[in-house]
């Protein structure tokens, strides 16, 4: 079951009943039954989670991690992101947008052709 401190919930607009949870030190969890049960998918101190365009971005204590396969595999976003402590991620179809606590708002392309 789920144990942790809920920080942020995000519903997946593409998958009915799918909800993502940033749960502090307990990481990122996903429910596929509208919150009745939860499955841990990413370890770390997660405060923010954003769902969009088939991707999920999580703001962790040490940067942003992304998944494009429902949470089976995660990859860190650009390691040169300044001030990585609990950044606030958002997604567009071609960009990761990151709000930082101290360095402002930044963006980076998710597709090498996106500028």
């Amino acid at each position: 079951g789920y144990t942790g401190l809920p920080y942020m919930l995000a519903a997946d607009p593409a998958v009915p009943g799918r909800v993502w949870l940033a749960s502090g030190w307990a990481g990122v969890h996903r429910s596929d039954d509208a919150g009745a049960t939860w499955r841990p998918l990413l370890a770390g101190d997660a405060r923010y989670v954003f769902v969009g365009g088939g991707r999920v971005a999580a703001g962790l204590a040490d940067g942003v991690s992304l998944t494009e396969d429902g949470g089976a595999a995660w990859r860190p976003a650009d390691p040169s992101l300044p001030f990585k402590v609990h950044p606030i991620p958002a997604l567009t179809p071609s960009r990761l947008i990151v709000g930082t606590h101290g360095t402002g708002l930044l963006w980076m392309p998710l597709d090498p052709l996106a500028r």
Side-chain angles (χ1 to χ4, degrees):
Y2 165 74
T3 60
L5 180 63
Y7 277 87
M8 185 175 187
L9 284 169
D12 190 329
V15 182
R18 181 171 282 178
V19 183
W20 295 82
L21 171 66
S23 59
W25 56 267
V28 176
H29 290 68
R30 188 183 83 201
S31 173
D32 290 323
D33 54 14
T37 60
W38 294 94
R39 190 171 91 188
L41 295 174
L42 178 65
D45 186 357
R47 302 279 173 96
Y48 305 100
V49 64
F50 191 94
V51 181
R55 296 180 173 108
V56 178
L60 306 170
D62 59 355
V64 175
S65 285
L66 297 163
T67 183
E68 296 178 347
D69 61 5
W74 293 82
R75 66 179 170 88
D78 187 341
S80 65
L81 179 69
F83 207 85
K84 297 179 189 181
V85 180
H86 296 120
I88 304 166
L91 296 161
T92 73
S94 62
R95 294 180 178 171
L96 169 66
I97 301 169
V98 179
T100 66
H101 302 279
T103 311
L105 190 66
L106 309 166
W107 69 268
M108 60 195 75
L110 292 170
D111 178 341
L113 299 177
R115 301 277 180 234

